[in-house]
């Protein structure tokens, strides 16, 4: 629970919203929970509830929200945030992506106010690493912020599992789904932790629960929390700046090659309009040659590229080759000198109106463990506080409490398992699909059914999918 307190503190600090839960299942279902919160908060009961989603929200998030909304009777409207009518009758909430799926960083303040004027809640899907550099959602007056904590030390793993984060304004603390770890005192007046707000979950309030289909991801939340404990604010800012600077260099190279990138700030993602059909074909071919996956938009000659902290100068050279761009390394490969020379128009966040100036992760826990030795001792210190199978018997049975043999856990951290992107082409994921098919066939044989779905990633999600089916 102490580690989950760290997670909640991290999320609250990063998002600028005071209340955070102890994680949810994933970003898509967190978006659905945000939509359901807006629906429950609706004051205009006579109107058909409407939930607006900006067209630049990630498509996988949109898909989950649309499915959940259908069975709540909520009408989902997908449109451009600039042209949507925020006085629409029945509007209960709006959802923006910050930064959005095109990589743009947008100031939504005007549109948040318009939603609030119509008694609707404003929700924000965001990126924790980006929030180390850009203004947090709370400073824009968002009511709810959520997203995936994957970037904080958790491998991609072909899509999961990853903990989602979820934070809200204090006025919504009684409506937030999931559980909240709180600080209290024990019988000896010492510091203690407890599940402060668990009583709204399905096993206690049943049909009156805040949400009957929300699931925590405690293991993954603890991993993300320890990542923040180890790096602290300065470390996270350094990582974020490296990612952002690399992206600016790539943008400069794309422009020098004659490709088009819209003006405006970005963090780690570029939407690039390739200058010609032939250049577009060349870029796709070059990407195959250098073993790089790029996003293809449903627009003529348009691609998307996202970077992370693992990108090296060699990777940037490969990406420039993909774009047919000249080298921008300059000064004998001194990349640092180059990004310092880039102009403000190149999407730089530092010294722009989007730059974060508020402090975060100021608690001593995030400023005390900077070596592997110190962090290991801290984790061991927390471990000794737990009742576990090492020291006791756990008389509970749960799908989340089974013992996993080391022989099962060891392969999980191997790069060929851990680093597969969920949207990687099928020919790159044949091993995963072979394992999934083998498990599918085994479960069909065991249960006697004809088919098995692996889509639900938790018991509650499986129950919900079964009810819908």
């Amino acid at each position: 629970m102490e580690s989950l307190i760290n997670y909640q503190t991290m999320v609250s600090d990063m998002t600028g919203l005071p209340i955070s839960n102890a994680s949810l299942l994933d970003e898509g279902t967190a978006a659905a929970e945000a939509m359901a919160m807006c629906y429950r908060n609706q004051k205009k009961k006579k109107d058909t509830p409407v939930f607006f989603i900006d067209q630049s929200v990630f498509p996988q998030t949109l898909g989950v929200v649309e499915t959940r909304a259908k069975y709540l009777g909520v009408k989902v409207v997908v449109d451009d945030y600039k042209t949507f009518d925020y006085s629409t009758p029945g509007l209960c909430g709006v959802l923006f992506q910050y930064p959005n799926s095109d990589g743009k960083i947008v100031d939504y303040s005007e549109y948040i106010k318009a939603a609030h004027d119509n008694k609707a809640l404003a929700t924000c899907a965001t990126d924790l690493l980006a929030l180390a550099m850009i203004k947090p959602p709370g400073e824009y007056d968002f009511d709810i912020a959520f997203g995936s904590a994957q970037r904080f030390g958790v491998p991609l793993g072909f899509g999961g599992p990853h903990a989602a984060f979820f934070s809200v304004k204090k006025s919504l603390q009684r409506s937030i789904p999931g559980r909240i770890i709180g600080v209290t005192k024990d019988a000896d007046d010492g510091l203690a932790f407890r599940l402060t707000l668990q009583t709204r979950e399905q096993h206690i309030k049943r049909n009156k629960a805040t949400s009957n289909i929300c699931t925590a991801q405690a293991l993954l939340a603890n991993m993300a929390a320890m990542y923040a404990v180890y790096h602290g604010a300065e470390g996270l800012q350094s990582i974020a700046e490296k990612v952002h600077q690399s992206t600016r260099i790539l943008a400069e190279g794309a422009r020098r090659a004659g490709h088009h990138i819209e003006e405006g700030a970005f963090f780690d993602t570029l939407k690039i309009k390739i200058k010609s059909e032939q250049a577009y074909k060349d870029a796709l071919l070059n990407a195959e040659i250098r073993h790089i996956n790029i996003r293809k938009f449903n627009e003529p000659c348009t691609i998307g590229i996202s970077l992370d902290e693992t990108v090296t100068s060699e990777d940037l050279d490969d990406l420039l080759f993909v774009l047919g761009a000249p080298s921008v390394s300059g000064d004998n490969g001194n990349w640092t000198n180059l990004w310092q020379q880039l102009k403000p128009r190149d999407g730089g966040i530092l010294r722009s109106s989007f730059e974060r100036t508020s402090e975060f992760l100021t608690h001593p826990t995030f400023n005390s463990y900077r070596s592997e030795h110190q962090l290991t001792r801290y984790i061991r210190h927390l471990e000794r506080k737990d009742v576990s199978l090492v020291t006791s018997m756990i008389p509970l049975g749960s799908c989340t409490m089974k013992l996993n043999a080391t022989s099962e856990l060891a392969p999980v951290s191997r790069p060929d398992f851990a680093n597969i992107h969920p949207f990687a082409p099928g020919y790159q994921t044949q091993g995963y699909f072979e394992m999934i098919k083998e498990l599918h066939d085994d479960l069909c044989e065991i249960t006697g059914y004809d088919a098995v779905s692996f889509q639900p990633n938790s018991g509650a999600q499986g129950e919900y999918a079964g009810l819908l089916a």
Side-chain angles (χ1 to χ4, degrees):
M1 284 197 286
E2 185 172 338
S3 182
L4 289 175
I5 278 279
N6 293 341
Y7 180 80
Q8 292 176 184
T9 304
M10 171 192 79
V11 171
S12 288
D13 281 6
M14 299 298 291
T15 61
L17 291 165
I19 306 296
S20 165
N21 68 18
S23 80
L24 290 176
L25 183 64
D26 53 36
E27 183 168 351
T29 54
E33 294 292 350
M35 177 274 299
M37 272 190 72
C38 296
Y39 168 67
R40 292 193 301 271
N41 191 67
Q42 188 188 39
K43 300 296 191 295
K44 304 169 285 297
K45 300 294 183 182
K46 63 180 181 179
D47 298 315
T48 300
V50 175
F51 189 73
F52 167 71
I53 302 179
D54 179 53
Q55 61 190 11
S56 294
V57 166
F58 290 134
Q60 64 271 24
T61 302
L62 172 62
V64 176
V65 175
E66 287 180 324
T67 300
R68 287 280 191 89
K70 176 181 177 181
Y71 297 98
L72 284 176
V74 176
K75 180 182 178 183
V76 173
V77 176
V78 182
D79 203 347
D80 188 333
Y81 74 93
K82 294 179 181 177
T83 58
F84 176 71
D85 181 6
Y86 292 88
S87 63
T88 298
L91 184 68
C92 62
V94 298
L95 169 57
F96 304 117
Q97 191 91 37
Y98 173 74
N100 68 23
S101 66
D102 296 344
K104 293 181 185 176
I105 301 172
V106 177
D107 183 347
Y108 294 107
S109 301
E110 174 187 346
Y111 309 98
I112 294 169
K113 183 180 183 303
H116 286 164
D117 288 344
N118 196 21
K119 310 300 182 186
L121 297 180
T123 72
C124 168
T126 190
D127 175 1
L128 286 181
L129 188 62
L131 296 182
M133 286 191 72
I134 63 177
K135 279 186 181 179
E139 294 183 18
Y140 288 106
D141 205 24
F142 276 106
D143 301 287
I144 302 168
F146 63 87
S148 172
Q150 179 272 323
R151 298 193 77 162
F152 278 22
V154 182
L156 283 170
F158 198 33
H162 308 132
F165 62 88
F166 198 98
S167 59
V168 300
K169 288 181 176 177
K170 197 166 185 178
S171 59
L172 297 171
Q173 64 184 352
R174 292 282 172 181
S175 300
I176 188 172
R179 63 193 67 169
I180 297 178
I181 313 298
V183 180
T184 185
K185 293 182 178 180
D186 61 21
D188 299 320
D189 208 32
L191 181 70
F193 302 100
R194 60 175 293 182
L195 282 171
T196 305
L197 287 176
Q198 181 190 215
T199 55
R200 298 147 307 137
E201 291 195 348
Q202 61 266 31
H203 63 289
I204 295 175
K205 294 197 73 173
R206 300 187 183 277
N207 63 309
K208 294 183 180 180
T210 302
S211 174
N212 272 302
I213 42 180
C214 66
T215 303
Q217 285 277 28
L219 172 62
L220 288 309
N222 284 327
M223 289 174 67
M226 289 301 172
Y227 187 84
V229 167
Y230 179 73
H231 289 287
E234 289 184 5
L236 293 177
Q237 286 173 326
S238 176
I239 293 168
E241 286 180 17
K242 176 183 182 293
V243 173
H244 180 53
Q245 291 154 8
S246 298
T247 310
R248 292 181 67 197
I249 290 170
L250 182 61
E252 176 66 12
R255 290 190 177 104
R256 290 186 186 183
H259 309 309
H260 176 71
I261 298 174
E262 286 189 25
E263 298 293 323
F266 52 79
F267 173 60
D268 66 351
T269 299
L270 299 173
K271 184 179 181 181
I272 304 170
K273 175 77 172 179
I274 303 299
K275 60 185 178 182
S276 69
E277 181 69 33
Q278 185 57 50
Y280 176 69
K281 292 178 181 178
D282 290 343
L284 298 183
L285 178 61
N286 290 341
E288 287 288 332
I289 293 172
R290 295 296 170 94
H291 305 290
I292 295 173
N293 293 325
I294 56 179
R295 179 182 178 186
K296 290 175 274 190
F297 282 89
N298 292 324
E299 301 173 28
C301 302
T302 304
I303 63 172
I305 300 176
S306 294
L307 308 186
D308 65 16
E309 67 272 20
T310 66
V311 169
T312 64
S313 57
E314 290 77 15
D315 295 325
L316 283 172
D317 278 332
D318 286 341
L319 287 166
L320 292 169
F321 170 78
V322 167
L323 296 173
S327 171
V328 295
S329 57
D331 195 15
N332 298 319
N334 191 331
W335 297 88
T336 304
N337 283 353
L338 175 73
W339 70 255
Q340 288 176 340
Q341 298 166 13
L342 294 177
K343 302 173 185 176
R345 76 166 182 108
D346 295 310
I349 295 170
L350 298 178
R351 294 176 296 280
S352 76
S353 61
F354 294 107
E355 181 181 7
R356 178 168 192 152
T357 57
S358 56
E359 292 185 333
F360 59 95
L361 303 186
T362 57
H363 190 277
T365 298
F366 298 102
N367 295 277
S368 302
Y369 309 103
R370 287 294 179 271
S371 71
E372 184 177 344
H373 175 69
Q374 290 173 323
L375 185 68
T376 302
R377 288 177 67 89
Y378 176 60
I379 294 172
R380 177 62 175 161
H381 166 71
L382 297 185
E383 179 191 329
R384 294 182 66 180
K385 294 183 179 183
D386 286 339
V387 175
S388 75
L389 291 176
V390 176
T391 56
S392 176
M393 184 187 82
I394 299 177
L396 296 175
S398 166
C399 60
T400 59
M401 298 175 71
K402 299 290 189 295
L403 277 173
N404 288 299
T406 303
S407 59
E408 297 174 65
L409 296 174
V412 174
S413 59
R414 287 179 50 171
D416 39 354
F417 277 94
N419 296 338
I420 301 292
H421 193 281
F423 295 147
Y427 74 88
Q428 297 176 15
T429 58
Q430 292 178 10
Y432 257 105
F433 281 107
E434 183 177 336
M435 289 190 298
I436 293 169
K437 184 181 185 305
E438 287 178 0
L439 179 59
H440 173 274
D441 294 344
D442 289 344
L443 290 177
C444 285
E445 184 176 347
I446 291 168
T447 62
Y449 285 102
D450 298 319
V452 173
S453 170
F454 294 109
Q455 182 61 34
N457 200 22
S458 75
Q461 297 293 324
E463 293 163 9
Y464 181 70
L467 286 171
L468 296 189

